[in-house]
Amino acid sequence: MSKRQEGGLQAPTRHPIDWQNPEFYDETKLNEELERVFDICHGCRRCVSLCETFPTLFDLVDNSETMEVDGVAKSDYHKVVEQCYLCDLCYLTKCPYVPPHEWNVDFPHLMLRAKAVKFKKQGASLRDKLLSSTDNVGKLATIPVVVDMVNAANRTPSVRKVMEKTIGVHTKARLPRYESPPLRRRIQNDLGDRAVPAGRTSGKVVLFSTCYANYNNPSIGEDLVAVLRHNNIPVRLPDEERCCGMPKLELGDLESVAKAKEINVPELVKWIEQGWDIIAPVPSCVLMFKQELPLMFPDDPDVAKVRDHIYDPFEYLMLRHKHGKLNTEFRHSLGKVAYHAPCHQRVQRIGPKTMEFLQLVPDTEIINIERCSGHDGTYAVKREFHDNAMKIGRPVFRKIKQAAPDHYCSDCAMAAEHIANGLGDGSEPKHPIQLARQAYGI
């Protein structure tokens, strides 16, 4: 007689995303799987505090005639799906029924499948196309003169009201600035001939700049390059780069994710084969290469090669520290720092490397905040979700206010902008790499 186990006790594993199988888009089979998983979630409810996805589901169940999942109209399933922004926290921190448990619940990737079915059937709205076309919009918005017009428009109340009414971008959402020239025109390439390997790091880095650091906040990339070079790590940019694909993934546009992969992966593999490691300054982009692309293309050796050689910036620096290759001669303390750990970094399963780095700075106190900021890609700027985003972020805003820190920061600069919006006191966030540069005095 087999021993039945209520919840899984083993580390979560992930199955490949079967997105190229026609059955993946079969709406009847999708609804059957949604009903099965929703029923398990209804019986557990451990994830209710993470986001609005689960309260939405449980309200639908509790308000149905049967008070069970079978009483929820299948046409209402999309109300649950549209609240999920694929942060993965339910999978990796709450759900006891993820694989290898026999119930095989992968809630985020089931939501991804539902988004993909909807995208294939209906496409995307103009707003969602614009928000997910980060490369094309960034190239246009950073043209000299145009960049000033775009930034002025995004901060003009009358224009924002028109934007909310016409395309659904919430008036009170904080939109990132654009800057010209972009990061990729600001960085000079190193040769890499001074590289000193340490552990599994080669000691020379190709910086995948990311759309956000390239077009919106190049100073993040410049600070990162300065910190790496201060640690005797040569840096260069790839010859070619496209959006990692995460915005399109969140939309369910998997064909566009595949097209971006066809540009980025061969380019990054070219440098990996010449002995370079890869770093990206945005956690969501690192997660895309570490997890989502390998699950979409499980048999592609080049995708696996990028997965094995891409790092979060502080993960890389702390790996070097483990082998005595980190410069720990800091010239300035940072005082009290409220540090927000973004979801897409936490689910990389690398540990709190940013916090560990900042704790090396003398006379520095770190207040660690492991709660969702509520920003989550494009969720916070959408008219229909902005109020929920502010509600989800309230525990983070409250903890920072209570701490009254000298600085507050997040590895996700977009989350930091949302936190600043929630604080509403005119303060500005800093990025941890900016604080690292400040501590070094460089």
Side-chain angles (χ1 to χ4, degrees):
M1 181 176 175
S2 64
K3 185 179 178 183
R4 189 175 181 82
Q5 187 171 286
E6 169 56 27
L9 298 176
Q10 301 176 63
T13 58
R14 217 76 193 249
H15 295 310
I17 302 169
D18 196 19
W19 69 283
Q20 291 171 307
N21 183 341
E23 286 192 6
F24 186 82
Y25 300 94
D26 185 312
E27 207 160 357
T28 300
K29 291 185 176 178
L30 168 65
N31 282 333
E32 288 172 359
E33 180 64 1
L34 285 168
E35 184 171 359
R36 183 186 79 85
V37 170
F38 284 173
D39 193 47
I40 294 170
C41 295
H42 163 51
C44 172
R45 302 201 176 202
R46 192 174 297 186
C47 46
V48 68
S49 63
L50 288 178
C51 61
E52 281 299 301
T53 310
F54 300 103
T56 300
L57 169 62
F58 303 145
D59 284 348
L60 285 169
V61 173
D62 294 344
N63 293 326
S64 70
E65 283 190 11
T66 64
M67 295 186 70
E68 299 287 350
V69 173
D70 62 9
V72 178
K74 289 183 171 48
S75 58
D76 282 341
Y77 284 0
H78 75 279
K79 293 178 181 176
V80 179
V81 174
E82 67 184 10
Q83 293 292 339
C84 176
Y85 32 76
L86 307 178
C87 75
D88 265 8
L89 277 189
C90 59
Y91 191 92
L92 282 168
T93 69
K94 293 285 185 182
C95 183
Y97 306 120
V98 298
H101 190 277
E102 61 186 311
W103 290 359
N104 189 29
V105 173
D106 186 339
F107 194 91
H109 281 169
L110 179 58
M111 297 301 102
L112 174 64
R113 181 182 175 188
K115 289 171 187 282
V117 170
K118 182 184 176 188
F119 182 84
K120 192 169 270 286
K121 194 175 173 184
Q122 302 177 12
S125 66
L126 172 62
R127 190 245 345 245
D128 291 350
K129 286 178 183 173
L130 286 172
L131 291 177
S132 63
S133 299
T134 48
D135 266 328
N136 292 335
V137 173
K139 284 175 187 170
L140 289 172
T142 52
I143 294 172
V145 181
V146 174
V147 68
D148 296 327
M149 295 167 62
V150 170
N151 288 332
N154 283 343
R155 277 154 181 76
T156 303
S158 57
V159 175
R160 292 298 302 272
K161 285 181 182 175
V162 172
M163 287 173 67
E164 177 167 331
K165 194 171 183 181
T166 54
I167 61 173
V169 173
H170 199 284
T171 306
K172 294 182 179 177
R174 186 158 152 156
L175 299 181
R177 286 178 54 82
Y178 286 92
E179 292 193 27
S180 182
L183 177 65
R184 285 181 57 80
R185 292 189 202 158
R186 301 185 186 203
I187 304 299
Q188 297 295 317
N189 290 333
D190 291 328
L191 294 177
D193 50 355
R194 295 178 289 106
V196 178
R200 59 189 172 99
T201 67
S202 69
K204 55 183 183 179
V205 161
V206 166
L207 177 65
F208 184 82
S209 66
T210 74
C211 301
Y212 187 83
N214 192 29
Y215 299 117
N216 300 112
N217 198 340
S219 66
I220 293 174
E222 291 176 305
D223 292 335
L224 176 56
V225 171
V227 168
L228 290 171
R229 286 176 175 161
H230 189 62
N231 279 278
N232 299 315
I233 300 171
V235 186
R236 64 157 298 129
L237 296 167
D239 292 333
E240 195 174 10
E241 180 179 329
R242 294 288 187 278
C243 171
C244 69
M246 185 60 85
K248 296 294 186 185
L249 184 88
E250 291 174 348
L251 203 57
D253 181 3
L254 302 183
E255 294 290 347
S256 290
V257 174
K259 288 177 184 174
K261 168 250 180 190
E262 291 303 320
I263 300 293
N264 288 323
V265 167
E267 174 66 20
L268 296 178
V269 165
K270 177 179 77 179
W271 294 107
I272 291 168
E273 290 179 343
Q274 293 178 40
W276 296 75
D277 295 323
I278 314 297
I279 284 183
V282 175
S284 299
C285 305
V286 177
L287 186 69
M288 190 71 199
F289 289 107
K290 272 188 179 179
Q291 175 178 284
E292 304 299 352
L293 286 178
L295 290 173
M296 285 180 66
F297 301 95
D299 300 320
D300 188 325
D302 285 345
V303 169
K305 196 170 286 184
V306 176
R307 176 197 63 200
D308 296 341
H309 289 84
I310 190 166
Y311 299 90
D312 173 87
F314 288 98
E315 175 191 15
Y316 199 80
L317 290 169
M318 293 308 288
L319 281 170
R320 305 280 295 173
H321 181 50
K322 190 176 177 183
H323 297 277
K325 298 298 181 186
L326 181 73
N327 186 337
T328 55
E329 294 182 7
F330 298 102
R331 295 172 61 188
H332 304 293
S333 69
L334 297 171
K336 184 188 284 187
V337 178
Y339 164 64
H340 167 256
C343 305
H344 276 175
Q345 187 189 61
R346 290 174 62 195
V347 299
Q348 289 178 37
R349 292 187 271 189
I350 59 175
K353 300 305 178 191
T354 303
M355 185 177 71
E356 291 173 8
F357 179 96
L358 294 176
Q359 285 175 327
L360 296 173
V361 181
D363 300 320
T364 297
E365 178 188 357
I366 309 299
I367 312 296
N368 188 36
I369 305 174
E370 291 189 347
R371 288 292 297 258
C372 177
S373 71
H375 187 273
D376 305 298
T378 57
Y379 185 79
V381 305
K382 295 179 178 177
R383 177 176 55 201
E384 65 272 32
F385 301 134
H386 179 74
D387 290 343
N388 282 345
M390 299 304 285
K391 176 183 166 187
I392 293 166
R394 266 183 223 150
V396 179
F397 312 152
R398 185 169 57 249
K399 194 161 184 178
I400 292 175
K401 284 181 180 176
Q402 289 171 345
D406 297 293
H407 312 285
Y408 62 94
C409 64
S410 173
D411 299 281
C412 176
M414 291 171 284
E417 292 282 334
H418 183 64
I419 291 169
N421 199 15
L423 293 175
D425 57 6
S427 62
E428 290 294 329
K430 291 190 175 178
H431 192 281
I433 203 67
Q434 184 181 6
L435 293 176
R437 185 175 187 176
Q438 180 178 324
Y440 279 129
I442 56 177

